[in-house]
Amino acid sequence: MAKAGSGAVATVDGRALRWEHRKPELLRAATDYVLRTGVADLTLRPLGAAIGASITSLNRQFGSKDQLIRAVCEEIHGQMATAFDEFWASSNGRPIEVLRALWNLWLAPEYERQFAFLFELHGLALRQPEKYEWFARSVVKDWKAPLESALRQDGVHPDQAEALSTLAVAIIRGLYLDKSITGDVDRVGAAYELSLNLLASTLEATRANQGK
């Protein structure tokens, strides 16, 4: 607490100071909270209390609850893109190997919360398409972009690269939703392996047609 020259007292919120210039750390803390509690009943006051941040800090760093949800979504998409890039770098350009490695990675318990969050946003986007229009774009664009880019760099025609990456993302999303609801990892995993074999055959045929 500090006195101004006029004699008035200005109060500084210690929680606001704690997070000043530390947006990445605040986002990680907020992301962990949102993944634990979900989106539907999310409000900033309980979030702030849980992570030790003031409403002022949250508003200053994110602007609103909706913008915070978007930031969390972008953080998750960024992590998934990074994982793809790391697997791709060590795969010598073998997309099927990368997709298999990603699936095995995402079977880990900590990823269940991320997919639950994304599936919850899917439902909200269906109910409120205008409000979540940004999600409808990003959930397709951000997911397929790394694979599409890698295929194009590998010489696959842009149209075919877009179609193959769209199909791969749709398979992952659908089968992971099945796995999340039923818990049947073996059945869903077998279906995913079959889809990878079919994708591999399609990719080989595409490369053959393009003279690779």
Side-chain angles (χ1 to χ4, degrees), residues 35-54:
L35 293 182
R36 283 188 285 109
T37 63
V39 175
D41 299 322
L42 177 67
T43 57
L44 294 185
R45 191 170 300 280
L47 165 61
I51 66 176
S54 66

Side-chain angles (χ1 to χ4, degrees), residues 99 103 143 164-178 188 191-196 198-199:
L99 292 173
W103 179 264
W143 274 59
L164 286 169
S165 60
T166 297
L167 177 59
V169 168
I171 289 171
I172 290 171
R173 184 183 301 119
L175 289 179
Y176 202 99
L177 179 59
D178 185 327
V188 174
Y192 187 71
E193 190 61 32
L194 174 60
S195 74
L196 292 184
L198 295 174
L199 282 171

Side-chain angles (χ1 to χ4, degrees), residues 126-142:
L126 288 172
R127 293 292 187 182
Q128 305 176 67
E130 293 184 0
K131 181 176 181 180
Y132 291 96
E133 189 265 344
W134 63 267
F135 176 75
R137 292 196 318 271
S138 68
V139 76
V140 174
K141 179 181 177 181
D142 292 350

Side-chain angles (χ1 to χ4, degrees), residues 103 115 119 170-189 191:
W103 179 264
F115 276 91
F119 289 142
I171 289 171
I172 290 171
R173 184 183 301 119
L175 289 179
Y176 202 99
L177 179 59
D178 185 327
K179 194 270 312 177
S180 298
I181 293 173
T182 65
D184 194 339
V185 177
D186 291 340
R187 176 181 58 82
V188 174

Side-chain angles (χ1 to χ4, degrees), residues 87-122:
F87 283 129
W88 184 265
S90 62
S91 75
N92 295 319
R94 295 191 293 272
I96 303 304
E97 179 181 310
V98 174
L99 292 173
R100 183 177 290 113
L102 284 172
W103 179 264
N104 291 331
L105 173 69
W106 291 337
L107 289 178
E110 58 265 30
Y111 286 94
E112 293 180 1
R113 301 190 310 168
Q114 294 188 2
F115 276 91
F117 167 80
L118 294 173
F119 289 142
E120 187 176 6
L121 286 184
H122 271 87

